[in-house]
Amino acid sequence: MVLQWDLIGDAERSVLADPLRLRSVRRLIGGPVPDEAFDRVAMLVRKLVDAPMGVVCLVDLDRQVLAGQVGVPDPLATIREMPLTHSFSRHVVVAGEMQVITDVRADPRMKDNPAIAELGAIAYAGAPITDPDGLIVGTLCAVDLEPRVWTASEIALLSELAAVCSSEVCLRIARAAAEEARLAAESAHHQLELLAELTESLAATMDVDEAMRRLGGIVTTRLADWCVVAVADDPGGPASVAATHRDPDRAADMERLAELVVSSRADLRSMLLAVRRGGRPVRTGDGAAELRGRIRDAELAEITLRAGFGASVIVPITSPVRHRALGAVLLVKRPERNSLTAAEEWTAAEIGRRAGLAVENSRLYREQRHVAEVLQRSLLTELPDIPGIGLHARYLPAQDGAAVGGDWYDAFAQPDGSVVVAVGDVSGHDIEAAATMGQLRNLVRGDAYGRDEEPGALLTALDNALHGLRVPASATMVLARVRKAATGYSISFGNAGHPPPLLLLPDGSVQAWWVPPEPLLGLPPREPRTSNHRYVPPGSTLLLYTDGLVEDRDQLLDDGIDRLSAVLRAHADRPGDELCARLLEVAPHRSDDIALLLVRLG
């Protein structure tokens, strides 16, 4: 039932529309109807005043609710409300005091009230019911079907009973306010939990597609029934779209919906693009009727209707760095659920901001990764061609965390015909580690080239150079010199805290060259480092590698070396490049970068 505002004066409108008064009224209207307590008060009015109708009215902005009544004819007695145009009690609210009317047909304010003809109401006496702030929320009234002069005792009785109603109203409003505060605090707590979980989950990945899937999984568990997330870092580029539903049975529908959003130039895609351009949340309305008006693709509309399209909002995914929208999130509730509250809309907007931070972090990570990889690879050696010796190498950055580290390999021929090979690992996993690695590699080359000292002496000289030049490096390394012997090869090597070299012999057996541990490079020089010597038959393969290939936080280092040895034995006859690929497959988690150098001795 809708209020006919053309029948209500401006002065009445302003009083009736008081927001504080309406807040109290609506806290009361939410209670049970019929209301037994107020029905008993209405019965007392009928008995004690001897009136055909006794009514407890609550006056809303566009209707009058009969919270308690006796004697009111159907259908009003059943539906318990009427349009405000039928209300005599609204005049009590406007006047701010009790109204006592002998014959409403003679009152200029009431003579045109439709209730005169429809209910036969002639005489009216209404006492105000007030809230804790003294605002009139309704009346306790008596209605007679013929003209009546209300006595002083009847008026006093109505006033007393209205005061009883006011006390009950104040108690109920206080309870409703306390419950609203409890629910608001609970809702705020849940929303903060959601945002904390979302932030933690998005921070744990640098992959945009995975981040958007995580976002969908979290918001459909705690806020919406389903959602669509669309991100395009480049305004002219393709969008990455993920759709998630709370109901696992809708997974296939959501996958198809994401495909349709990507391919469609209208419909949901246009809605997402619109909020992306505007940069502000947009409430898309409640219900399927608006959806049908917006979505013209039949299959897309059918999927969204099956998913359940009720209250919804679209929020932009905004970059905190570049201050522009990178995409949008559509959050949808099913039709049977309540509309989005102001707090939920704030949470939705915050979700968009935090998603924007995740997208921006991913972009910066990709840029840093690219720069670091280019730097890393530019510093790695192009392996020389040496007669009788085959050299094969690989470098792989970590899959997670920082993109690159300080792992490196090197090989070069000496003027005397020997070959120097090295693999090292500078501490750290960032561009600074990669740059330090370049310095260290150049120092190794400059220190070793043209000199016939053993690797232990070269490492000692390198310690002194790092310390004296104040190079901020801490690194592990194996440095080896390979010399041709009469019937094979002589290999001398030094080990500065590095995993042991592995040697694959022609008979398929594998040796791990364990030696007494020595300190990392870059520490203050102490005693001279040692050199170790091995004789190697032709047809052998020497493997130098960094710890990322064998270390696993769940297993011992020896287990990783055993796995690597098993691969060497199983693929001994493979070409060098293929053997390198097989060796990389044993890396446990790729949480660290990897460098390996394979030296095949013919």
Side-chain angles (χ1 to χ4, degrees):
M1 299 183 180
V2 181
L3 173 64
Q4 300 174 15
W5 277 110
D6 56 335
L7 301 179
I8 306 296
D10 290 340
E12 288 185 75
R13 295 178 195 174
S14 63
V15 175
L16 294 171
D18 183 310
L20 295 178
R21 191 190 76 82
L22 290 177
R23 183 179 65 180
S24 293
V25 171
R26 286 164 187 174
R27 281 173 170 167
L28 296 166
I29 289 176
V33 176
D35 187 301
E36 293 183 2
F38 287 142
D39 274 353
R40 285 195 294 270
V41 174
M43 180 63 72
L44 285 173
V45 170
R46 181 175 184 177
K47 288 182 177 180
L48 299 178
V49 179
D50 191 24
M53 287 182 270
V55 185
V56 178
C57 301
L58 297 174
V59 182
D60 199 358
L61 181 61
D62 58 354
R63 59 179 174 155
Q64 175 174 284
V65 175
L66 310 184
Q69 68 83 25
V70 63
V72 176
D74 280 328
L76 292 179
T78 301
I79 62 176
R80 294 274 180 154
E81 68 176 63
M82 62 176 65
L84 212 57
T85 49
H86 290 54
S87 171
F88 297 118
S89 294
R90 81 173 195 261
H91 299 292
V92 176
V93 176
V94 172
E97 60 185 6
M98 185 173 184
Q99 297 293 296
V100 180
I101 310 297
T102 299
D103 188 336
V104 295
R105 295 170 298 181
D107 189 297
R109 300 169 301 167
M110 304 181 185
K111 64 180 181 176
D112 295 323
N113 193 308
I116 297 173
E118 295 180 17
L119 302 180
I122 301 299
Y124 172 84
I129 298 173
T130 57
D131 71 0
D133 296 320
L135 299 172
I136 299 175
V137 295
T139 66
L140 173 64
C141 58
V143 178
D144 208 327
L145 304 181
E146 57 186 29
R148 176 171 177 169
V149 176
W150 304 95
T151 66
S153 61
E154 292 169 338
I155 293 171
L157 180 60
L158 276 174
S159 296
E160 290 296 325
L161 291 175
V164 172
C165 290
S166 295
S167 297
E168 178 67 16
V169 160
C170 290
L171 179 61
R172 294 186 183 191
I173 289 174
R175 288 174 178 169
E179 179 64 11
E180 287 174 7
R182 184 189 70 79
L183 293 175
E186 189 176 276
S187 174
H189 176 69
H190 289 161
Q191 287 162 23
L192 289 174
E193 279 188 336
L194 183 156
L195 293 173
E197 181 183 355
L198 180 67
T199 301
E200 182 179 357
S201 182
L202 295 182
T205 180
M206 291 297 174
D207 181 83
V208 171
D209 292 337
E210 175 62 22
M212 297 307 102
R213 283 192 292 271
R214 293 184 180 192
L215 185 154
I218 291 171
V219 300
T220 55
T221 300
R222 293 175 172 266
L223 183 60
D225 287 290
W226 59 278
C227 74
V228 180
V229 186
V231 176
D233 194 16
D234 179 3
S240 174
V241 178
T244 309
H245 200 289
R246 178 178 296 187
D247 183 355
D249 293 338
R250 295 292 177 197
D253 272 350
M254 292 296 102
E255 184 176 347
R256 178 58 180 158
L257 186 147
E259 294 173 357
L260 291 171
V261 172
V262 170
S263 61
S264 175
R265 292 297 175 186
D267 305 335
L268 278 182
R269 180 180 174 86
S270 66
M271 295 160 64
L272 294 167
L273 289 175
V275 74
R276 179 180 167 184
R277 286 192 296 269
R280 293 186 301 274
V282 174
R283 179 189 284 270
T284 59
D286 300 336
E290 178 176 348
L291 176 65
R292 291 192 186 97
R294 284 177 174 263
I295 298 182
R296 295 179 292 278
D297 183 286
E299 184 183 5
L300 186 59
E302 181 62 30
I303 291 174
T304 53
L305 291 176
R306 282 201 302 270
F309 204 106
S312 58
V313 65
I314 305 178
V315 296
I317 296 175
T318 307
S319 165
V321 177
R322 291 173 287 173
H323 304 291
R324 66 176 180 83
L326 306 173
V329 183
L330 168 65
L331 301 171
V332 186
K333 287 186 174 184
R334 292 185 60 82
E336 62 269 20
R337 293 185 63 194
N338 293 332
S339 297
L340 288 156
T341 64
E344 287 174 329
E345 289 192 11
W346 177 88
T347 302
E350 188 64 25
I351 286 169
R353 284 190 285 270
R354 299 194 185 200
L357 179 61
V359 173
E360 196 64 40
N361 284 342
S362 176
R363 180 185 67 84
L364 294 174
Y365 169 78
R366 292 195 306 273
E367 290 180 358
Q368 181 180 5
R369 180 186 182 97
H370 175 71
V371 170
E373 281 192 35
V374 170
L375 173 62
Q376 179 91 14
R377 296 188 185 279
S378 70
L379 295 174
L380 294 174
T381 303
E382 183 177 347
L383 297 176
D385 293 326
I386 300 175
I389 296 178
L391 297 172
H392 307 271
R394 292 289 186 275
Y395 171 79
L396 285 181
Q399 285 181 328
D400 55 278
V404 299
D407 289 19
W408 56 281
Y409 59 82
D410 199 2
F412 55 90
Q414 291 280 42
D416 63 2
S418 63
V419 178
V420 173
V421 293
V423 164
D425 184 358
V426 174
S427 299
H429 295 87
D430 50 25
I431 294 177
E432 184 176 345
T436 302
M437 175 272 290
Q439 289 181 282
L440 183 58
R441 189 206 66 166
N442 289 336
L443 282 172
V444 170
R445 285 194 152 209
D447 181 55
Y449 186 77
R451 298 174 62 177
D452 60 0
E453 286 93 342
E454 293 297 326
L458 295 175
L459 290 175
T460 301
L462 184 59
D463 273 328
N464 292 326
L466 291 172
H467 185 68
L469 296 173
R470 301 183 185 276
V471 177
S474 173
T476 68
M477 187 171 71
V478 168
L479 180 66
R481 184 189 293 269
V482 181
R483 289 185 173 91
K484 192 77 170 71
T487 58
Y489 293 88
S490 171
I491 299 178
S492 56
F493 69 96
N495 190 326
H498 202 79
L502 297 181
L503 182 72
L504 173 65
L505 293 165
D507 62 5
S509 61
V510 176
Q511 298 176 354
W513 288 355
W514 291 102
V515 295
E518 294 190 356
L520 277 63
L521 291 169
L523 300 180
R526 295 184 179 179
E527 298 179 0
R529 294 184 181 270
T530 59
S531 296
N532 307 276
H533 300 273
R534 299 289 189 275
Y535 170 76
V536 176
S540 300
T541 299
L542 179 66
L543 174 64
L544 308 181
Y545 54 93
T546 56
D547 56 5
L549 191 59
V550 291
E551 280 193 346
D552 184 346
R553 54 181 170 267
D554 299 325
Q555 294 182 333
L556 297 174
L557 177 63
D558 289 5
D559 296 329
I561 292 174
D562 289 343
R563 289 196 308 271
L564 202 58
S565 300
V567 173
L568 278 173
R569 285 192 295 269
H571 303 283
D573 59 343
R574 301 288 184 179
D577 288 338
E578 184 178 344
L579 181 54
C580 286
R582 298 288 185 180
L583 292 168
L584 290 173
E585 291 174 0
V586 306
H589 301 297
R590 289 280 308 283
S591 57
D592 195 1
D593 51 344
I594 297 170
L596 67 84
L597 179 62
L598 200 68
V599 184
R600 297 206 122 162
L601 304 170

